[in-house]
Amino acid sequence: MADDLDPNIPPLNPEDPLFGLTTAQVEASREIFGRNELLIPETPLWKLFLHQFSGFLPLLIELAALVSLAVKDWTDFGIIVAMLVVNASLGFREEYHAKKALDELSQKLESEVATRREGETKAMNVQELVPGDVVLLVGGTIVPADIQWIKGDTVSVDTAALTGEPIPRKYPGPNGDVILSGTTIMAGECYGRVLRTGTNTEIGRAQADVLKDKTVRVISVFQKKIMFVVQVLVTCSLVLVVAVLLVEGFVYGGFEKGQVHVTILDALSIMIASIPIALPLVLQVNLALGASFLAKHYNAIVTSTPALQDIASMSMLCSDKTGTLTTANMSIIEESIYAADGFTNNEVIMYAFLCSNADKKDDPIDRAIVAAFAKSAASSDGFVQTEIIGFNPSVKRVVAFVKDSSGKTITIAKGLPAKIINTEAGGRDDHELQWKVDTADDKAFNDKVVCVDTGLNTSGYKTIGIGVCQGDARELGASAVWKFAGLLPMLDPPRHDTPATIESLHHANISVKMITGDHANVGKETARLIGLGTNIHPGEKMRNASAETKNQIIWDADGFAAVLPSDKREIVMTLRNHFGLVTGMTGDGVNDAPALSAAQVGIAVDGATDAAKNAADLILTLPGLSPIYGAVLESRRIFARIKSYVVYRVAASVIMVLVLSISIFVKGCAVHSLYIIILALMNDISMIPVAYDRAAATSKPQLASSSSIVYQSLFYGLVNAFLSLMFIFAMDYDDRFNEEVGLKACDGPTQGFIWMQLLVVTELAIFSVRAPGFFLFSMPSPYLIMSILSTLVIGGLIACLDPQLGLEGKSLGYIVLFNVATFIVVDLLKIKFREVIGESPGEIIASDDLIQPSDRTDAQKQMKKNLRYAVHRDSIVSVGDRQPSVEVKKKPTWYEGFFDLRLDLDINGGFVNKNRLKVQATEGAL
């Protein structure tokens, strides 16, 4: 990576590479490259709150409040303003949490690094670094920029933040001499030259992507569809409002002196009836209860409610390997141990344990051997380690001296298998002990060991060779007899529930792609162990392909290996934006943060870094991946509940608007605006228990469809409105009614009759809307039943006891009987109607328990994959719904803000201001 250096970077001093930069060079470099920091947006809290009052729905509610204020209808005004403030408070709460997450992302500890400038060493704040600076890196240092090794030790670097690999890399070495920003020096110390800073580093670009995503107002695909339907409904209703105003004003004398006030309020009541004022409240309650359920039952914290909705639509889940699908702890795979002739598996483990240091908790190899020994049947009783010669990269082996119970010394070696068989393999080194095992020249032995070792390496295992010499090899010298004991295969093992989670997600028609920074062979073996396909491509293949080929590789692959953070993000963005699939991402490291923030559903696993948590929408707090499956099922249930409510609420608005408007058009009879507002609120409040309703999770991703919501809403709305109007107009022609109520009179009892009819028909409708089949076969929760019945009882008391309405008990009885009969008819008709529009819920997942995987051949796995991909092709999101809804790139002028009230704003409206705040791109942010 040092080959693509910017020519503006000051060169090293040829006489003294450690001299560093001069003051003039520092200023020149800073002028070109800037400071080692990122820019992030900031929005004051008061602006966040005020933003809640902009947008489509808030503006409509504000308009209604102004109209009621203009005619001095204080009761209506108070109710409308109260609902407006409640909705704004809910929206502010959500944006405040998003802002808090962004602030946490930018918080960091002040960090310094020893920097050479003009021949002197100075402790410099890392944000002051510029390309060309020479810095000293020591153990424990988080590398603050991309740095090229100059002089010093071969350092051991933990690169997990970028690659996900659990074993540290050596620099300089096979991976070059450039140590990337965000990695950690584990051992050794060296001087290095700063090559790239801030957003020019690999991890800086990744962090910039996360911050960019955080500035976007995120709206779920489902929520956008809901708002589109609501906007269509309200727009049509406003046409009727104008028509009512004109008809009542000109035809029925509503514009005469003293009647204008009443006419305006009548039109206002229809507008209020069309606005789902409590829709944000009901949605938030549903989502809050869903988030609470996941926290209580699955120990999963939801940080973004839009993502909670999008999980229901998720078709593809990309996942990091190390620490996510696996434990991030190298382990000895006991069943794959190779024991040479004359040794057993337990003896191989015992000798490896005696040649390890149990106190080296940070060494992944010694830690794995100690753990394997503790779980095995091997015993070290009677053996005492007296001396150990530690690992050296140049000799690639460890030698220990052990005394048995009789006091006899045994020499044990562990390390690179070739070096254990013959220490001169690859060239003689400077270790004090040199040997060849007694079978080193045996071709059959060599072929066998090479075959086993190659097979294990090809399968992704790292192997450790074990050699034993009976006696003190230093004293025996050339007469020492070494024997090859065997091979220990090491692998980062899958988490205990990973295979079952993968199987369960596949059953829910969610495909999983593994994306890892580890080697391809390791990725393939891990994929085999967890039940994924083994079509794993190296990241380089994707990076070097043309755009069209790259897209096809991403679509077909089961996963990718040796990738960078930018690769992970690109894979997610391709699946999301090119193929149109709702895409999730799981991970735990800084290297996963860009992909986590780019996905519609970002999931940080237990033990994730702060950067990953801040970029995620769902945070798991216990080991294992099973909560993801639980979140999928619960999200699909939430989807079913919310969709039922939206269909119901739109249908109820259609019923109320049509009945009220036509009553005015035909007879000039209007119900007082106060009662219409009360009716709309009673409808919404009584539906809050929908959040507790019984709902089933389907086996297919649930995509929001505007057309489906519109068709179903119109079916319920038009049919029930037609039947209600027939019933109401019958008052003038039926002797059982015309003595008490009638549209001609339009007195209190008549308005009470219309009001009660609207209440009963709209309240009962939810029982039919929520049931996929006949309502008796899908009973609602007791909470919903009690809420509806209570609302009907309260409504009946209002209609009968309010002196301004004064509905007769007999009329109330007729209303109840009529609506029970018509409810059954409509519920039967809806089954056939849903078949016509293709609204099928799909197979129901009966249990939340994980599905245990069964053994399948590669051909069977591919067949299952083909079936899932067929479902994916039916679950494609429209082009307009693939990007986040609103991203404000500059502070708008007043007129731009006014004309930018687009229809894709969310329920609470608003936008994110981008005043900018400087923060350093160092350990806290990374």
Side-chain angles (χ1 to χ4, degrees), residues 826-880:
V826 173
D827 195 58
L828 291 171
L829 289 175
K830 71 102 185 278
I831 298 174
K832 186 64 179 177
F833 179 78
R834 287 185 175 179
E835 291 179 2
V836 172
I837 65 172
E839 181 66 19
S840 174
E843 179 189 348
I844 301 300
I845 298 178
S847 173
D848 288 11
D849 295 337
L850 292 178
I851 301 171
Q852 296 304 317
S854 56
D855 291 333
R856 294 192 181 97
T857 64
D858 289 342
Q860 290 172 325
K861 289 180 182 178
Q862 186 61 41
M863 183 177 68
K864 288 280 187 180
K865 179 179 177 180
N866 292 341
L867 293 174
R868 288 196 308 276
Y869 272 49
V871 175
H872 298 339
R873 292 185 181 94
D874 293 332
S875 305
I876 293 176
V877 177
S878 63
V879 175

Side-chain angles (χ1 to χ4, degrees), residues 406-428:
S406 64
K408 181 181 177 182
T409 297
I410 302 174
T411 309
I412 308 170
K414 78 171 192 284
L416 189 71
K419 282 288 189 180
I420 298 301
I421 294 173
N422 184 352
T423 57
E424 294 188 10
R428 185 178 178 87

Side-chain angles (χ1 to χ4, degrees), residues 680-914:
L681 287 177
M682 290 178 71
N683 283 151
D684 284 327
I685 293 172
S686 66
M687 293 302 125
I688 291 177
V690 165
Y692 300 91
D693 193 21
R694 298 187 180 103
T698 62
S699 62
K700 292 183 179 181
Q702 295 298 291
L703 281 183
S705 169
S706 300
S707 58
S708 173
I709 295 174
V710 169
Y711 292 152
Q712 291 187 70
S713 300
L714 288 178
F715 168 79
Y716 289 106
L718 295 176
V719 173
N720 281 302
F722 174 75
L723 293 173
S724 295
L725 286 168
M726 285 182 56
F727 186 42
I728 292 170
F729 283 120
M731 292 189 298
D732 284 336
Y733 303 99
D734 194 310
D735 293 339
R736 288 170 293 184
F737 294 112
N738 57 23
E739 294 179 359
E740 302 169 8
V741 295
L743 287 176
K744 294 178 181 178
C746 198
D747 52 10
T750 300
Q751 293 186 34
F753 188 94
I754 297 173
W755 185 83
M756 192 64 199
Q757 166 60 25
L758 288 175
L759 178 64
V760 176
V761 69
T762 53
E763 288 293 310
L764 291 181
I766 188 63
F767 292 137
S768 178
V769 172
R770 60 166 296 282
F774 190 56
F775 82 100
L776 286 178
F777 301 136
S778 180
M779 292 300 293
S781 69
Y783 302 105
L784 185 59
I785 294 175
M786 290 299 298
S787 179
I788 299 300
L789 292 180
S790 299
T791 302
L792 291 176
V793 170
I794 294 172
L797 293 173
I798 292 174
C800 295
L801 300 180
D802 189 324
Q804 294 189 37
L805 298 179
L807 182 67
E808 292 289 334
K810 182 173 65 173
S811 296
L812 178 61
Y814 289 135
I815 290 173
V816 172
L817 291 175
F818 175 81
N819 281 283
V820 169
T822 55
F823 170 82
I824 296 173
V825 173
V826 173
D827 195 58
L828 291 171
L829 289 175
K830 71 102 185 278
I831 298 174
K832 186 64 179 177
F833 179 78
R834 287 185 175 179
E835 291 179 2
V836 172
I837 65 172
E839 181 66 19
S840 174
E843 179 189 348
I844 301 300
I845 298 178
S847 173
D848 288 11
D849 295 337
L850 292 178
I851 301 171
Q852 296 304 317
S854 56
D855 291 333
R856 294 192 181 97
T857 64
D858 289 342
Q860 290 172 325
K861 289 180 182 178
Q862 186 61 41
M863 183 177 68
K864 288 280 187 180
K865 179 179 177 180
N866 292 341
L867 293 174
R868 288 196 308 276
Y869 272 49
V871 175
H872 298 339
R873 292 185 181 94
D874 293 332
S875 305
I876 293 176
V877 177
S878 63
V879 175
D881 293 329
R882 296 177 186 180
Q883 293 286 351
S885 297
V886 177
E887 181 179 5
V888 178
K889 294 185 171 69
K890 64 185 180 68
K891 186 176 181 179
T893 59
W894 69 269
Y895 55 85
E896 288 175 322
F898 180 81
F899 289 108
D900 196 39
L901 296 173
R902 297 192 298 263
L903 297 185
D904 59 355
L905 291 176
D906 71 4
I907 283 176
N908 296 304
F911 55 85
V912 177
N913 189 19
K914 289 193 72 175

Side-chain angles (χ1 to χ4, degrees), residues 553-574:
I553 290 173
I554 291 173
W555 176 259
D556 293 332
D558 295 312
F560 294 88
V563 297
L564 293 172
S566 55
D567 297 326
K568 295 187 177 187
R569 182 180 174 89
E570 183 172 7
I571 292 167
V572 169
M573 295 297 284
T574 299

Side-chain angles (χ1 to χ4, degrees), residues 335-346:
E335 57 269 23
S336 299
I337 291 175
Y338 168 70
D341 292 342
F343 295 89
T344 65
N345 285 8
N346 285 334

Side-chain angles (χ1 to χ4, degrees), residues 96 114 129 150 229 344 347 406 455 607 618 855-856 861 878 918:
Y96 172 73
L129 293 178
I150 298 175
V229 173
T344 65
E347 287 176 329
S406 64
L618 187 70
D855 291 333
R856 294 192 181 97
K861 289 180 182 178
S878 63
K918 291 187 175 183

Side-chain angles (χ1 to χ4, degrees), residues 176 373 391 438 712 866:
F373 176 79
F391 183 83
D438 58 352
Q712 291 187 70
N866 292 341

